[in-house]
Amino acid sequence: MSTEHGDRVPIDAQSVDAPLSRFAVFLVVTVGPDSASLDTVRDTISSIDDLVKTVGFRDLGGHLSCVVGIGRLLWDRLVPDIRPVELEVFPTIRGDVHTAVSTPGDLIFHIRAERIDLCFELERLLLDALGSAVRIADETQGFRYFDERDLLGFVDGTANPIGSDLTPTAVIDDEDPRFTGGSYVVAQKYLHDMDAWKSLTVEQQEAVMGRTKLDNVELPDSVENQKAHKTLATIVDENGVEHDILRDNMPFGRPGAGEFGTYFIGYSAQLWVTMRMMERMFIGDPPGFYDKLLDVSTPVTGGTFFVPSNPVLQALADPTALAGTLGLSSGGDEGTEASNNEEADGSLGIGSLRAPTDELEGTAS
């Protein structure tokens, strides 16, 4: 997942560390239950690099990139024998007042570029290739708003890791050796009640966010037990170690339709970090003291996906190559799910249509 030489060739697919862009498309789709649909999806996503090069080479300065994330249920259809250790269906998180919803989604495509026409063209070619194999669950076009602000008027992404901290934050290493180079991504689409937000004073808005609105200076939490958004979104483990995620949030909206929102998308090497952040926001810390930002920002989608490294993604089209890329052998591998699900004939079953028995039809991924 490197953006090295991005000024000479298009950015590799699966580069979660690609530069922040002026525009983005967030495309979530579900995959048909038949074998033909699965085959089409397998062939298309394994060759996503070719599509990115086809479009991106027209303007290398446009920095076109694409990240493909795969939901738990689709992963189990594509690779039924082994899965990333933390990959799960996004759970519905119910607090006393607000709920983080879980919505259908087998694949997410995070398309970024400095030009919206590059995003448009890649999405068009991608959907042409997928055809009737998928149905669109959500399609959102994001844009950068002034100096990295959201539509609520605050700078977004201040807490992102930088420099040498970026890769270990977002990209799997020793946490799951078979899937080194991959990442977990959580995506949620939030709609803002702008009238309710504007009814608050600037001081009240700053107390909710935990930062000053004009110059983005961090503020202390001002009310006992009521933590600001920036505090609830900061995860510190029992040993006092802070764990970050990599955000690439973007505003979106249609003023004529009264739609104003933020598309949250967060990459992490450890999924539990993002999910603990969700629990703190919706349930509260302590419970009941939830994130007051949720009083004006409502999530209407929610999904968890695994972003395989580019070599793993490319190998999805070839079961033998995939087994080699994941370090599996036809003889099985004790201690992995592959050994538990090994076919009687000694094959790994990678690429078969058999899904694990715990797959529930209709469950969101």
Side-chain angles (χ1 to χ4, degrees):
M1 294 190 179
S2 172
T3 57
E4 186 180 5
H5 308 309
D7 57 339
R8 294 182 58 86
V9 295
I11 297 172
D12 289 343
Q14 306 307 84
S15 296
V16 301
D17 59 349
L20 295 176
S21 59
R22 293 182 61 196
F23 302 100
V25 169
F26 306 96
L27 178 66
V28 178
V29 302
T30 58
V31 178
D34 56 292
S35 59
S37 293
L38 190 65
D39 289 342
T40 297
V41 165
R42 187 193 304 278
D43 291 341
T44 301
I45 64 176
S46 64
S47 59
I48 195 71
D49 245 347
D50 294 336
L51 288 178
V52 173
K53 291 174 183 177
T54 295
V55 179
F57 201 78
R58 302 178 189 183
D59 180 5
L60 294 177
H63 295 150
L64 177 67
S65 67
C66 182
V67 172
V68 181
I70 304 173
R72 157 74 183 270
L73 301 186
L74 178 61
W75 179 271
D76 286 346
R77 292 174 64 191
L78 290 168
V79 192
D81 300 291
I82 184 171
R83 76 170 66 97
V85 294
E86 290 191 72
L87 183 58
E88 63 178 6
V89 174
F90 185 86
T92 299
I93 303 173
R94 291 186 174 88
D96 292 339
V97 180
H98 301 290
T99 299
V101 296
S102 176
T103 52
D106 289 318
L107 290 167
I108 186 169
F109 298 93
H110 182 192
I111 303 171
R112 291 177 277 191
E114 293 300 298
R115 293 172 45 176
I116 191 60
D117 57 336
L118 295 178
C119 296
F120 174 90
E121 183 68 1
L122 179 57
E123 182 187 10
R124 184 184 71 82
L125 294 178
L126 178 62
L127 289 175
D128 282 350
L130 291 170
S132 61
V134 303
R135 291 185 178 181
I136 296 175
D138 185 68
E139 179 187 25
T140 301
Q141 186 181 107
F143 55 89
R144 290 291 165 202
Y145 188 58
F146 294 113
D147 51 337
E148 307 297 333
R149 294 181 184 267
D150 56 30
L151 297 186
L152 301 177
F154 284 77
V155 175
D156 194 7
T158 301
N160 268 347
I162 60 175
S164 60
D165 292 331
L166 195 156
T167 297
T169 292
V171 180
I172 295 170
D173 189 9
D174 295 337
E175 299 92 348
D176 192 357
R178 292 198 185 280
F179 293 100
T180 296
S183 184
Y184 295 100
V185 62
V186 174
Q188 291 177 296
K189 182 177 181 177
Y190 285 84
L191 294 179
H192 304 318
D193 183 340
M194 296 303 292
D195 290 337
W197 183 246
K198 290 176 182 177
S199 71
L200 302 178
T201 66
V202 171
E203 290 75 17
Q204 289 172 325
Q205 293 177 359
E206 291 177 338
V208 169
M209 301 299 289
R211 292 184 177 276
T212 58
K213 192 170 187 177
L214 179 62
D215 48 14
N216 194 38
V217 175
E218 187 171 319
L219 297 171
D221 293 322
S222 58
V223 181
E224 185 178 358
N225 287 330
Q226 184 59 64
K227 298 179 176 68
H229 171 72
K230 57 93 178 175
T231 303
L232 291 170
T234 301
I235 304 304
V236 179
D237 66 23
E238 59 276 8
N239 297 317
V241 177
E242 183 173 331
H243 297 267
D244 296 322
I245 66 172
L246 177 63
R247 299 167 178 83
D248 200 357
N249 303 349
M250 272 199 167
F252 66 89
R254 295 179 299 156
E259 180 184 81
F260 304 89
T262 296
Y263 201 98
F264 165 79
I265 185 162
Y267 294 94
S268 60
Q270 297 172 289
L271 182 59
W272 70 264
V273 177
T274 313
M275 298 314 299
R276 185 171 296 178
M277 183 181 75
M278 294 293 162
E279 292 173 357
R280 284 165 57 86
M281 289 175 58
F282 284 86
I283 296 174
D285 182 23
F289 289 84
Y290 64 90
D291 190 341
K292 290 297 183 180
L293 181 59
L294 299 175
D295 288 342
V296 298
S297 298
T298 302
V300 294
T301 70
T304 298
F305 307 88
F306 175 66
V307 177
S309 66
N310 208 14
V312 172
L313 187 71
Q314 293 172 347
L316 285 177
D318 183 343
T320 301
L322 182 60
T325 301
L326 295 178
L328 304 176
S329 66
S330 60
D333 189 348
E334 293 182 3
T336 70
E337 292 189 54
S339 63
N340 296 331
N341 293 332
E342 185 177 347
E343 301 287 347
D345 62 2
S347 71
L348 286 170
I350 295 176
S352 73
L353 301 178
R354 175 177 54 78
T357 56
D358 62 347
E359 177 173 333
L360 302 176
E361 184 176 355
T363 303
S365 62

